[in-house]
Amino acid sequence: MCLAVPGRILEAEEYDGSRIAKVQFGGITRPVLLNFVPEAQVGDYVVVHVGFAISRLDAAEAERTFQLLEEMGLLEGELAGSEGPP
Amino acid sequence: MKYIDEYRDEHLVQALAAQIARKITRSWSLMEICGGQTHTIMRYGLDELLPEGIRLVHGPGCPVCVTPLETVDQAIAIASLPGVTFVSYGDMLRVPGTSLDLLRVKADGGDVRMVYSPMEALKLARARPDRKVVFFGIGFETTAPANAMAVWQARRENLDHFSMLASHVLVPPAIRLLLGGPHNQVQGFIAPGHVCTIMGYRQYEAISRDFHVPIVVGGFEPVDLLEAVFMLVAQLEEGRAEVENQYVRSVSYEGNLPAQRLVESVFEVSDRKWRGMGVIPQSGLRLREEFAAYDAERVFPASHLTVAEPPECISADVLQGLKRPTECPVFGGRCTPENPMGALMVSAEGACAAYYRYRRHSAQSAKQKGAA
Amino acid sequence: MTACPLPLPAGDRVLLGHGSGGKLSADLLRDVFLAAFRNPVLARLDDQAIVSINGLRLAFTTDSFVVKPLFFPGGDIGSLAVHGTVNDLAMGGAQPLYLSAAFIIEEGLPISVLRRVVASLQEAAAGAGVTVVTGDTKVVEKGSGDGLFINTTGLGVVADTVRLSADQARPGDRVLLSGPIGDHGIAILAQREGLEFEGSIASDSAPLHTLVAAMLAASRDIRCLRDPTRGGLSSTLNEFAAQAQVGIEIDERAIPVREAVRGACELLGLDPLYVANEGKLVAVVAPGAAERVLAAMRGHPLGREAALIGTVTAVHPRLVTMRTVVGPTRIVDMLSGDQLPRIC
């Protein structure tokens, strides 16, 4: 239901009561409203849906998930030969 | 792309699939509610990686698919009026009403526009004070804050020629309906990660308790979905029924509070008809009285006709997970994406369209490529 | 809604989707045009007709250009009108020689705009080594056109030894792609009102006949060539599969896509396989020739990022399948209409 895509905040400015960020998705950027993620800062990754950031991605949590997954896979010998996540 | 590519890692996906196969001792029926997740499963062929015991049932989580025919007809009627600029997300343009779709209204000279964000509809309204600009605000909880912002902002700027035709639905009441149904076969749910990004997952705890069913909040990439399946299987095999969060990087327990507050101030909960499922009590959002001037349903009054679905279409059963699209007598024959009889065939996210696009010859393709 | 129901079906109307290069386009071609014009040359359904006159093999093709906006990063309607037609000739292995250019102009178009387009068209023609030798101008009332439409017709000669046609693909053949897909479609989309995204995305619009010449010099075992324009890579592969009655298997990991195109596609929920290109080609070549042809492509400036993306198979005739990045295989269908950005 709801296509939302992570992108990185390159810059942000106040305009008419809203914070508007320039957010990078791969090789493009587009303006994104930060009204719902007041805590987001330049350099953060946000999940964007229809032009609004709906969450600030938790880098530590993402990392931890990967460690768990990798341990799980490696313990089972499934990840042998894989470079693992970047 | 960071936070995307690593979740499409082949080794990790294969490792997770192997883990699931190892964990499973009997068969389980799991439902992903969200159409975006259905799309990922079909797009990457994840169902082919899962052991035979896992049956994935595709739920009603596509706002385009569940928007009732009456509302689509109403949108078409408004869009056909002179002086109206009708603005919609791309998804809705091809959804058939009783006799037309919005693209055909455009072909007949109607001013129908497509936008990516509701704020672009607002921008159009600012630029064209001479037109009645109507935005088709569809969506689940994820889209509600953005659509609410457009209406809130329109009132703030006194853009009285702007209005929204709102068709907003809520996930938890639909899950309750499905689980309480006499034919329910679903034993575990993947809860929609972006809905929960907004709403958190407190509401799902009560559902899990009431129906003794495990629920895992899941993300949208292949690794996310397989991890969510793994977590569900683990719960089921161990006899647990809890709410767990796989999509931790985006979803918190409380959800997005600023977004929830805005939705609360603009919308109120109401009964809502779902295409294929009927009226579900307290399962939708409508604009509050204070925003009546921006409510297209009140600005363009309509006599509410009840419209019958084509009798052959089994969307209702598919939406409830009772049947697969391929069990439909008209699937791929009289009903195709070019000539859809039901909404599930028209939206890219609809289960029927996903099966048609990616799986029509699945037996064939699985046979010849499975080992490669 | 008023009390009376809306007037009934518009299924008999031409929709924008009929021009998208997907299934609706194919239906229109079959039901309206082929039904009327049926003849053996047309029945090949290649991008160009090849006819013999007094022993000389002539390649003949026509194309109309209706791009909006008229000017976009990487080109404009003038250069596109040359490249599109030159490429249709080149895909038949022809040396392009002459072009006609017809302009359908909407009343009110600034002469300065027309001048810019014509200058660009001339520059592109000179760059591609073709001469504009005839033309036409029509002006339509304001509202009857969209600024400017251009039609070009191209004429070229084909060497006797060259026989390229989509129906020649055989099981075991390799499928080559000349570079990253989707640049043109995304460059145009980025200009569209209501989408507002920015990035270094330029159209790939370019004349491909010298690339084709380099490939033909490397090997004669090239079965067919086509430029995946409207409808994208998926439409071209499906056309090959249908015309040669073969299956095609591609590998998602092998298909080059630029970061800008990827980003735009992720954001808008689009699939790059369906996005238009104006300077790429797909080649089906005999297995033994694949390496040589690929090397020749990579040695040409327009084929530097060429890749081997798949093979032709007898297993599932008329069907294109793709091994996805995570392993399983799925169908790559032809799109029914235009790809629309989605929110869900």
Side-chain angles (χ1 to χ4, degrees):
Chain A
M1 84 190 52
C2 316
L3 182 75
V5 181
R8 185 163 163 267
I9 301 180
L10 298 182
E11 51 193 67
E13 58 181 62
E14 291 280 338
Y15 178 78
D16 191 25
S18 288
R19 263 172 93 219
I20 301 178
K22 186 173 177 182
V23 176
Q24 183 181 14
F25 305 91
I28 63 157
T29 62
R30 74 152 279 139
V32 167
L33 286 160
L34 299 182
N35 300 51
F36 304 134
V37 287
E39 74 280 14
Q41 300 300 324
V42 170
D44 285 347
Y45 278 80
V46 283
V47 176
V48 176
H49 175 66
V50 300
F52 287 83
I54 56 171
S55 69
R56 187 177 72 91
L57 273 179
D58 190 328
E61 282 296 349
E63 198 119 313
R64 200 161 60 204
T65 305
F66 265 105
Q67 276 164 8
L68 279 172
L69 283 175
E70 205 166 342
E71 277 165 25
M72 187 171 89
L74 284 169
L75 284 174
E76 305 290 333
E78 291 291 342
L79 278 177
S82 135
E83 299 125 42
Chain B
M1 291 171 72
K2 195 168 149 102
Y3 296 114
I4 292 185
D5 294 333
E6 60 267 44
Y7 293 90
R8 295 178 190 171
D9 180 272
E10 184 178 353
H11 297 285
L12 213 43
V13 165
Q14 302 277 354
L16 276 162
Q19 288 283 355
I20 294 165
R22 209 161 289 142
K23 192 95 192 167
I24 191 175
T25 62
R26 47 159 291 189
S27 50
W28 301 106
S29 283
L30 312 177
M31 176 180 272
E32 86 282 354
I33 298 153
C34 168
Q37 292 169 332
T38 305
H39 192 87
T40 302
I41 290 164
M42 295 292 154
R43 160 80 183 70
Y44 293 95
L46 300 183
D47 49 339
E48 289 182 18
L49 292 175
L50 291 171
E52 274 189 16
I54 301 285
R55 177 162 180 259
L56 288 179
V57 180
H58 315 301
C62 161
V64 174
C65 302
V66 302
T67 299
L69 206 45
E70 291 87 338
T71 308
V72 179
D73 281 346
Q74 198 178 359
I76 288 166
I78 294 172
S80 306
L81 293 172
V84 166
T85 294
F86 195 86
V87 187
S88 169
Y89 296 123
D91 320 41
M92 278 313 290
L93 296 180
R94 254 201 291 266
V95 176
T98 308
S99 57
L100 290 171
D101 62 33
L102 287 166
L103 279 183
R104 279 166 214 252
V105 173
K106 184 173 153 72
D108 286 343
D111 186 7
V112 178
R113 315 279 185 104
M114 175 185 70
V115 291
Y116 165 76
S117 166
M119 301 315 271
E120 283 150 8
L122 212 55
K123 200 184 277 179
L124 259 169
R126 285 186 202 110
R128 295 302 302 270
D130 55 318
R131 306 281 297 176
K132 287 195 184 307
V133 176
V134 183
F135 177 65
F136 200 177
I138 62 154
F140 280 76
E141 290 93 325
T142 316
T143 319
N147 291 350
M149 180 65 89
V151 173
W152 188 85
Q153 189 76 22
R155 190 180 65 165
R156 182 168 160 260
E157 296 178 30
N158 294 316
L159 294 172
D160 293 339
H161 59 297
F162 175 88
S163 63
M164 184 166 88
L165 180 63
S167 181
H168 269 284
V169 285
L170 303 172
V171 171
I175 298 187
R176 283 187 175 273
L177 185 85
L178 289 169
L179 283 172
H183 306 294
N184 173 53
Q185 298 165 1
V186 177
Q187 295 157 299
F189 272 96
I190 301 177
H194 289 142
V195 164
C196 294
T197 294
I198 300 294
M199 300 305 293
Y201 50 92
R202 183 197 298 272
Q203 291 169 296
Y204 295 84
E205 289 181 334
I207 297 176
S208 174
R209 256 197 321 274
D210 294 351
F211 295 93
H212 194 73
V213 62
I215 299 177
V216 172
V217 180
F220 294 77
E221 296 296 337
V223 166
D224 290 323
L225 282 162
L226 289 184
E227 193 187 10
V229 168
F230 177 79
M231 290 164 77
L232 278 178
V233 168
Q235 284 205 43
L236 287 162
E237 293 284 345
E238 290 157 22
R240 291 183 289 128
E242 300 159 11
V243 177
E244 293 177 313
N245 182 11
Q246 179 276 330
Y247 200 31
V248 213
R249 64 188 185 279
S250 180
V251 174
S252 66
Y253 182 70
E254 296 290 347
N256 186 321
L257 297 174
Q260 289 173 24
R261 278 194 292 270
L262 181 72
V263 169
E264 177 80 9
S265 67
V266 173
F267 290 113
E268 62 193 0
V269 175
S270 68
D271 297 350
R272 174 70 61 176
K273 182 172 178 184
W274 294 49
R275 190 172 193 170
M277 295 179 76
V279 175
I280 306 179
Q282 304 292 293
S283 72
L285 295 175
R286 68 167 174 234
L287 286 166
R288 287 185 180 279
E289 197 55 43
E290 305 95 279
F291 293 91
Y294 301 91
D295 186 348
E297 283 199 68
R298 300 185 229 199
V299 177
F300 303 91
S303 59
H304 284 276
L305 297 180
T306 306
V307 186
E309 297 280 346
E312 301 91 334
C313 179
I314 62 161
S315 285
D317 289 345
V318 174
L319 281 173
Q320 294 176 61
L322 301 177
K323 283 189 180 156
R324 283 175 187 274
T326 44
E327 292 171 46
C328 176
V330 291
F331 174 84
R334 278 192 295 138
C335 184
T336 63
E338 294 79 59
N339 206 352
M341 296 182 68
L344 289 185
M345 186 57 97
V346 79
S347 153
E349 267 208 351
C352 296
Y355 267 73
Y356 186 86
R357 242 175 107 177
Y358 299 135
R359 283 289 172 283
R360 202 168 3 138
H361 304 263
S362 75
Q364 207 175 12
S365 60
K367 229 183 296 160
Q368 43 87 27
K369 203 63 193 262
Chain C
M1 183 186 300
T2 51
C4 64
L6 288 164
L8 269 158
D12 54 350
R13 301 288 172 96
V14 172
L15 303 176
L16 271 178
H18 283 112
S20 65
K23 252 185 224 168
L24 286 175
S25 304
D27 291 349
L28 197 68
L29 179 67
R30 188 192 59 230
D31 299 342
V32 179
F33 298 109
L34 289 181
F37 301 141
R38 193 164 293 281
N39 67 62
V41 181
L42 183 61
R44 279 174 46 237
L45 290 181
D46 283 326
D47 286 345
Q48 70 304 119
I50 295 182
V51 290
S52 281
I53 300 176
N54 295 334
L56 183 65
R57 294 177 73 218
L58 285 180
F60 183 38
T61 191
T62 192
D63 209 340
S64 300
F65 299 84
V66 295
V67 64
K68 193 160 97 176
L70 297 177
F71 301 90
F72 48 85
D76 56 67
I77 190 170
S79 55
L80 194 63
V82 171
H83 297 155
T85 295
V86 162
N87 291 345
D88 282 348
L89 292 174
M91 296 307 123
Q95 168 67 40
L97 294 172
Y98 299 107
L99 290 187
S100 75
F103 296 80
I104 297 167
I105 308 163
E106 187 185 18
E107 178 187 21
L109 183 80
I111 299 274
S112 60
V113 168
L114 189 60
R115 257 190 232 286
R116 258 179 85 192
V117 169
V118 170
S120 164
L121 192 150
Q122 169 53 27
E123 193 186 325
V130 293
T131 316
V132 179
V133 291
T134 183
D136 179 49
T137 307
K138 293 281 184 295
V139 178
V140 296
E141 275 176 38
K142 183 126 195 111
S144 301
D146 200 359
L148 177 62
F149 300 148
I150 300 179
N151 170 276
T152 52
T153 293
L155 205 59
V157 288
V158 190
D160 257 341
T161 46
V162 174
R163 307 273 162 183
L164 300 174
S165 187
D167 55 14
Q168 297 192 41
R170 298 282 170 273
D173 286 351
R174 302 289 190 262
V175 182
L176 308 178
L177 170 68
S178 69
I181 56 170
D183 294 6
H184 178 73
I186 295 299
I188 298 293
L189 201 61
Q191 305 294 311
R192 211 158 136 172
E193 175 196 27
L195 292 178
E196 295 188 73
F197 59 86
E198 291 172 18
S200 48
I201 322 171
S203 166
D204 56 347
S205 176
L208 295 168
H209 59 296
T210 58
L211 173 62
V212 173
M215 293 164 69
L216 286 170
S219 170
R220 290 288 169 188
D221 287 329
I222 300 176
R223 315 282 198 211
C224 55
L225 302 172
R226 192 161 286 182
D227 53 338
T229 54
R230 291 176 312 178
L233 180 61
S234 107
S235 285
T236 296
L237 295 174
N238 274 286
E239 287 163 11
F240 281 163
Q243 280 165 250
Q245 300 285 306
V246 294
I248 296 179
E249 298 173 356
I250 55 172
D251 186 337
E252 186 171 22
R253 297 167 302 179
I255 300 170
V257 182
R258 286 188 213 289
E259 276 296 285
V261 172
R262 268 206 69 193
C265 285
E266 293 289 347
L267 190 66
L268 302 174
L270 308 177
D271 188 335
L273 292 175
Y274 300 102
V275 181
N277 310 276
E278 290 292 347
K280 295 298 175 314
L281 64 80
V282 186
V284 176
V285 301
E291 244 170 75
R292 254 176 303 140
V293 176
L294 191 60
M297 292 167 86
R298 288 181 175 157
H300 189 281
L302 293 174
R304 263 198 297 270
E305 295 168 78
L308 168 65
I309 62 164
T311 51
V312 176
T313 169
V315 181
H316 41 69
R318 295 183 306 282
L319 199 63
V320 180
T321 60
M322 180 168 82
R323 180 208 188 275
T324 71
V325 287
V326 299
T329 299
R330 69 155 165 104
I331 291 175
V332 176
D333 200 5
M334 220 170 180
L335 209 62
S336 51
D338 274 311
Q339 216 179 181
L340 300 173
R342 56 191 179 92
I343 61 152
C344 54

